[in-house]
């Protein structure tokens, strides 16, 4: 047999799929893979059901339905004061994953350097490498997750095409501050580089913090591509409706990639997401409040079971240090161990690093029912405090 593509073949099955399968096999409560339970808005689902029955069910415009593109522009005006032309600056994709791939395939020329901040989401590196880009990794480490400004500046050069900036971050739950974003904006200008901004957790920001899109900073409108995901905003991750917002000169090459990746996204789901984005502030505030309460419930429970819990400012993940617990081994072994023996699944944080030297942290997802979180805590307490 002739060999398949060597770059993609060198990657294993994603840690999310691996841990979800293991959770299922052991009947464990799955706080691993980031998918919500019990938060799906019934009216948005009803709208999709209606749109499937009434149609249309044919290919929509490759850029997205006009109503969804208008709704995305209105959403970004409402929350960030942006003034977008929905026809030239908004494109709908099949999830943020496709948006990321379209941005990277559309912009990277083989040999271009791409700056990445570790820990990083799992789809970034394989796509960058498949596009011929050369990753330049900058490491952010627990417990502080501080931005290493010197290392970041040193990673940029004349060869830098772009940086991927995730905020709020998965898995660290960090929300980059105005000061950190100003610093990044300065680097983009100095090195004439772009930023692909993965902002899928834009509404999951807690304790009075504010999500600031990098694209809204002075001079950044021509340098940033802002990615969103309905999967996160409406707790419907299986829908895979996402989008990219960018100046026409940046969006055009990205659309060229999109037209050969998926071309379109189911029109009925686009109708429902357009409806959902127009929901009143009570929906958005309620989502944040509900998740903040679940974060607190899980954080307190994990601390009570002996974990050292790091603060989460955004996203729906908690990172916790398990080194004080009765376990000897790395984080992957730990996550398998608690799945098999305690009946609770988490994700090893080392999966988000290339260097495997962050070894005592596990990521727990709190976008779950209160019952599931409470039962998971009981199981961990019974197991570790027996
Ligand atoms: N980026 C980050 C940081 C994520 O956590 C996720 C979650 N899956 C995605 C992108 C992908 O989002 P989507 O499901 O819309 O493809
Ligand atoms: N974003 C989700 C997470 O971090 C999972 C996405 C996936 O399974 N690919 O858990």
């Amino acid at each position: 047999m002739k060999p398949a593509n060597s770059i993609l073949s060198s990657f294993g099955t994603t840690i999310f799929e691996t841990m979800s399968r293991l959770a299922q096999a052991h009947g464990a409560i799955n706080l691993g893979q980031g998918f919500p339970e019990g938060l799906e808005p019934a009216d948005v689902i009803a709208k999709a059901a209606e749109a499937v029955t009434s149609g249309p069910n044919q290919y929509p415009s490759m850029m997205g339905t006009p109503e969804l593109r208008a709704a995305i522009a209105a959403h970004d005006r409402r929350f960030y004061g942006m003034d977008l032309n929905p026809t030239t600056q908004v494109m709908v994709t099949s999830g943020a994953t496709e948006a990321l791939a379209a941005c990277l395939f559309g912009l990277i020329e083989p040999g271009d350097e791409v700056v990445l901040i570790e820990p990083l989401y799992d789809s970034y590196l394989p796509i960058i490498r498949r596009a011929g880009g050369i990753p330049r990794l900058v490491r952010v480490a627990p417990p502080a997750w501080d931005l290493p400004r010197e290392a970041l500046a040193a990673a940029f050069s004349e060869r830098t095409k772009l940086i991927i900036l995730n905020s709020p971050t998965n898995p660290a739950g960090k929300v980059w501050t105005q000061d950190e974003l100003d610093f990044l904006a300065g680097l983009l200008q100095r090195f004439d580089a772009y930023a692909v901004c993965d902002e899928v957790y834009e509404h999951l920001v807690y304790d009075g913090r504010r999500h600031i899109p990098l694209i809204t900073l002075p001079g950044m409108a021509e340098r940033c591509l802002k990615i969103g995901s309905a999967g996160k905003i409406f707790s419907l991750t299986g829908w895979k409706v996402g989008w990219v917002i960018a100046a026409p000169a940046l969006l055009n090459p990205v659309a060229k990639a999109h037209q050969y990746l998926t071309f379109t996204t189911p029109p009925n789901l686009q109708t429902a997401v357009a409806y959902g984005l127009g929901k009143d502030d009570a929906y958005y505030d309620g989502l944040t409040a509900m998740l903040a309460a679940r974060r607190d419930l899980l954080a307190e429970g994990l601390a009570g079971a002996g974990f050292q819990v790091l603060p989460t400012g955004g996203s729906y993940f908690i990172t916790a240090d398990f080194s004080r617990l009765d376990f000897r081994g790395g984080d992957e072994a730990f996550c398998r161990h608690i799945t098999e023996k305690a009946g609770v699944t988490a994700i090893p944080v080392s999966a988000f690093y290339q260097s495997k030297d962050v070894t005592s942290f596990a990521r727990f997802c709190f976008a779950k029912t209160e019952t599931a979180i409470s039962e998971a805590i009981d199981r961990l307490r019974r197991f570790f405090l027996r």
Side-chain angles (χ1 to χ4, degrees):
M1 215 176 112
K2 290 189 177 172
N5 177 261
S6 60
I7 291 173
L8 294 176
S9 303
S10 71
F11 292 93
T13 302
T14 84
I15 190 71
F16 309 114
E17 179 78 18
T18 305
M19 294 312 296
S20 283
R21 281 188 207 159
L22 197 69
Q24 223 158 21
H26 292 275
I29 297 174
N30 191 354
L31 304 187
Q33 190 175 27
F35 61 88
E37 275 170 348
L39 292 161
E40 303 85 339
D43 55 343
V44 176
I45 293 175
K47 197 79 185 170
E50 187 189 302
V52 169
T53 310
S54 66
N57 283 291
Q58 306 307 329
Y59 297 132
S61 156
M62 68 167 256
M63 297 302 283
T65 63
E67 63 177 326
L68 178 53
R69 295 164 82 196
I72 293 165
H75 168 275
D76 280 40
R77 176 189 298 280
R78 171 174 159 196
F79 289 102
Y80 312 118
M82 293 173 70
D83 187 18
L84 297 167
N85 178 339
T87 311
T88 58
Q89 292 177 281
V90 181
M91 182 176 82
V92 176
T93 59
S94 293
T97 307
E98 195 237 328
L100 282 158
C103 289
L104 298 170
F105 283 134
L107 296 174
I108 293 173
E109 189 60 7
D112 283 347
E113 293 192 2
V114 178
V115 178
L116 295 165
I117 299 174
E118 288 188 290
L120 47 83
Y121 186 59
D122 74 339
S123 78
Y124 302 168
L125 259 184
I127 301 290
I128 288 166
R129 291 191 44 214
R130 191 67 188 87
I134 300 166
R136 291 279 173 245
L137 294 163
V138 176
R139 208 162 161 286
V140 171
W145 308 116
D146 282 335
L147 188 70
R149 296 184 186 217
E150 265 177 44
L152 192 64
F156 275 78
S157 76
E158 295 312 315
R159 295 180 297 280
T160 305
K161 175 61 79 59
L162 59 93
I163 181 171
I164 301 187
L165 186 72
N166 175 214
S167 186
T169 67
N170 174 11
K174 163 134 184 159
V175 182
W176 301 109
T177 62
Q178 176 80 58
D179 195 48
E180 287 164 328
L181 294 173
D182 286 342
F183 177 75
L184 274 160
L187 288 177
L188 296 184
Q189 259 161 345
R190 197 164 122 213
F191 292 98
D192 187 22
Y194 302 119
V196 172
C197 303
D198 178 347
E199 300 182 10
V200 299
Y201 299 106
E202 62 190 309
H203 284 290
L204 310 184
V205 172
Y206 311 114
D207 311 319
R209 285 183 187 80
R210 212 163 53 87
H211 171 67
I212 308 166
L214 185 63
I215 198 170
T216 60
L217 268 54
M220 290 297 104
E222 306 304 315
R223 299 199 174 275
C224 295
L225 304 101
K226 178 180 186 292
I227 293 176
S229 170
K232 313 295 175 188
I233 300 178
F234 302 109
S235 304
L236 295 162
T237 58
W239 280 22
K240 301 299 275 191
V241 178
W243 52 85
V244 185
I245 287 159
L250 281 178
L251 194 59
N252 286 342
V254 173
K256 295 282 168 64
H258 163 74
Q259 70 181 346
Y260 300 127
L261 281 170
T262 58
F263 184 56
T264 54
T265 299
N268 346 74
L269 299 183
Q270 293 194 48
T271 301
V273 170
Y275 160 81
L277 287 173
K279 281 168 82 75
D280 59 15
D281 288 353
Y283 170 75
Y284 292 92
D285 294 344
L287 177 69
T288 313
M290 215 146 38
L291 283 167
R294 287 172 202 199
R295 173 198 63 175
D296 295 344
L297 178 68
L298 180 61
E300 205 180 298
L302 288 173
F307 289 84
Q308 290 160 275
V309 178
L310 304 189
T312 291
S315 82
Y316 41 49
F317 303 113
I318 281 180
T319 302
D321 185 346
F322 58 82
S323 54
R324 287 199 190 148
L325 295 173
D326 179 19
F327 178 79
R328 294 293 148 260
D331 59 350
E332 223 176 293
F334 177 80
C335 291
R336 283 181 180 276
H337 180 68
I338 59 170
T339 301
E340 291 165 6
K341 300 290 189 322
V344 178
T345 298
I347 300 286
V349 169
S350 66
F352 298 83
Y353 284 95
Q354 289 307 291
S355 54
K356 297 295 170 198
D357 54 350
V358 173
T359 55
S360 67
F361 293 86
R363 189 198 78 174
F364 294 85
C365 176
F366 55 79
K368 305 290 172 180
T369 62
E370 285 179 357
T371 316
I373 294 172
S374 300
E375 174 61 21
I377 293 164
D378 282 350
R379 290 184 185 191
L380 289 169
R381 286 182 71 95
R382 277 201 301 273
F383 186 69
F384 285 111
L385 306 182
R386 75 208 129 134

